[in-house]
Amino acid sequence: MLFNRHKTSLVPADQALPGRPTPAFTLTEPHTVLGHPLSGPYPEGLEVADFGLGCFWGAERAFWRLPGVWTTLVGYQGGHTPNPTYEEVCSGLTGHTEAVRVVYDPAVIPYERLLKTFWEAHDPTQGNRQGNDVGTQYRSAVYTHSPAQAEAAVATRDAFQPSLTALGYGPVTTEIAPAGPFFPAEPYHQQYLSEAKNPNGYCGLGGTGASCPIGVARTRD
């Protein structure tokens, strides 16, 4: 059961794997593309945003390409097990989703622009899957760090829904919740699709073709 990659219902906290008190690995190398440290503390004035949108390899690449993003890293969030490993998360027995942490300069790129990329880069109506990737670790999620982020996440979700409906998609299933602990993933997952690592590697990320209107409006202010 540990390696069941098709777990499609969230594990209760009392049935989750126990994890470990400290990480099983450390991140020491800088961002392969942006050159900045992956872990904090980050420079003053920068802010943090956390997103889950399927396999985190392609998801991270979608964000590091945006102007104003200082660094990105992938990890596990929204679950119960402390300091999980990739294999444990894929079992469905930790409750985590694969997440991307985006550290950005709000003076250069507003949070709403990050949300625009989030909504348009994947299908937020699929529940515990993204395309052929099936399991709770692939669920769509926005984990917020402030009331303003939470308000923007809900507003853009509601504005995006009519565009999805017009194309025949169902209701958005994205989890929007305050950010809990973020556990970085193993070093080999970081910037996995960069030119330095796997430029032709697997990316299961695919959008719907729908446009997020609030994201467009905010970026034109």
Side-chain angles (χ1 to χ4, degrees):
M1 188 174 185
L2 177 61
F3 297 102
N4 174 13
R5 293 173 183 259
H6 299 285
K7 187 83 172 178
T8 55
S9 58
L10 282 171
V11 64
D14 61 356
Q15 297 178 28
L17 296 174
R20 52 200 54 78
T22 58
F25 47 84
T26 57
L27 299 180
T28 58
E29 298 298 319
H31 196 285
T32 308
V33 178
L34 301 176
H36 296 140
L38 301 184
S39 303
Y42 302 114
E44 186 177 354
L46 301 185
E47 296 183 4
V48 173
D50 294 331
F51 304 101
L53 53 159
C55 177
F56 49 22
W57 294 341
E60 184 185 19
R61 182 173 61 182
F63 288 104
W64 82 49
R65 291 172 166 174
L66 298 176
V69 170
W70 192 79
T71 199
T72 59
L73 67 157
V74 297
Y76 314 115
Q77 199 166 16
H80 310 296
T81 301
N83 298 297
T85 65
Y86 179 66
E87 289 75 15
E88 289 171 345
V89 171
C90 286
S91 75
L93 297 177
T94 73
H96 293 92
T97 191
E98 295 188 15
V100 180
R101 171 154 287 184
V102 182
V103 183
Y104 66 101
D105 184 347
V108 178
I109 183 169
Y111 181 64
E112 288 82 1
R113 181 62 182 84
L114 301 180
L115 285 166
K116 174 179 170 62
T117 295
F118 167 76
W119 293 120
E120 295 182 356
H122 76 303
D123 180 352
T125 71
Q126 290 192 315
N128 293 315
R129 69 180 297 161
Q130 278 298 303
N132 294 327
D133 293 330
V134 181
T136 55
Q137 75 270 26
Y138 300 116
R139 69 187 185 272
S140 176
V142 180
Y143 297 117
T144 61
H145 291 264
S146 69
Q149 284 193 358
E151 181 179 352
V154 171
T156 51
R157 177 200 63 192
D158 294 347
F160 193 41
Q161 183 65 66
S163 297
L164 293 168
T165 302
L167 293 177
Y169 290 91
V172 169
T173 60
T174 301
E175 173 187 2
I176 298 176
F182 178 95
F183 300 104
E186 291 81 347
Y188 74 91
H189 286 300
Q190 307 298 332
Q191 299 88 61
Y192 183 84
L193 294 182
S194 66
E195 291 292 330
K197 290 187 175 182
N198 297 283
N200 298 313
Y202 167 78
C203 175
L205 198 65
T208 61
S211 176
C212 180
I214 284 185
V216 172
R218 294 297 182 87
T219 56
R220 289 177 179 171
D221 287 348

